[in-house]
Amino acid sequence: MEALTNNEEQVMQIIWELEKALVRDVLNQFPEPKPPYTTLASVIKQLENKGYLDHKTYGNTHEYFPLINKKAYQHSSFNLLVKNYFEGSAKNVLSFMVKEDKLSEKDIQDLEKMVENFKKKSS
């Protein structure tokens, strides 16, 4: 799965939420300042070329819909992040989050419970 630029990812987030959309529908979901219509149409065309979107044609209008679901993209992106920045190690990810103070005590307790439950299921 090819990585997305920040602009492409922002468009995909909107299309995932809408499930299907015309360019103007996507544009209406953008915060101000909105990108020019033609710029947005170009980003959508790039997403289609990358295999993330397809469209149905109604006269001169294209209705776009995702070919890659959000969960599959999250999975791929997270695995790439772990591989590229954390040497492929979940332990390194958690260690980083602890050091950066991104996990609360409750988060840590919940993770410990998840690990215990996983151990019980694996036994």
Side-chain angles (χ1 to χ4, degrees):
M1 187 177 303
E2 191 172 346
L4 298 179
T5 66
N6 289 339
N7 289 339
E8 291 169 340
E9 194 168 307
Q10 187 175 15
V11 169
M12 283 304 299
Q13 293 288 353
I14 292 169
I15 293 176
W16 281 320
E17 186 172 317
L18 296 175
E19 297 180 1
K20 57 186 178 180
L22 307 175
V23 175
R24 73 173 171 260
D25 297 330
V26 176
L27 187 61
N28 289 337
Q29 296 296 311
F30 263 83
E32 293 292 341
K34 295 182 185 299
Y37 181 95
T38 53
T39 301
L40 179 57
S42 294
V43 171
I44 288 173
K45 193 67 180 162
Q46 290 167 351
L47 287 164
E48 194 171 22
N49 292 338
K50 287 183 174 184
Y52 281 85
L53 296 176
D54 201 354
H55 72 271
K56 291 181 185 173
T57 303
Y58 302 99
N60 292 332
T61 305
H62 292 100
E63 181 181 60
Y64 295 92
F65 56 91
L67 293 176
I68 306 287
N69 68 41
K70 187 174 183 175
K71 188 167 182 86
Y73 182 73
Q74 286 173 326
H75 185 337
S76 175
S77 296
F78 184 72
N79 286 340
L80 191 60
L81 176 80
V82 172
K83 178 184 171 196
N84 290 341
Y85 294 97
F86 299 99
E87 300 166 6
S89 167
K91 177 184 167 200
N92 290 349
V93 173
L94 289 173
S95 175
F96 173 81
M97 292 179 76
V98 169
K99 288 176 186 171
E100 293 293 314
D101 203 24
K102 300 294 183 190
L103 293 175
S104 68
E105 281 298 319
K106 183 176 180 340
D107 291 336
I108 293 169
Q109 290 169 0
D110 290 346
L111 285 166
E112 287 171 342
K113 286 177 188 172
M114 282 185 228
V115 169
E116 284 303 314
N117 288 337
F118 180 77
K119 284 181 183 178
K120 288 176 187 175
K121 288 180 184 178
S122 305
S123 301

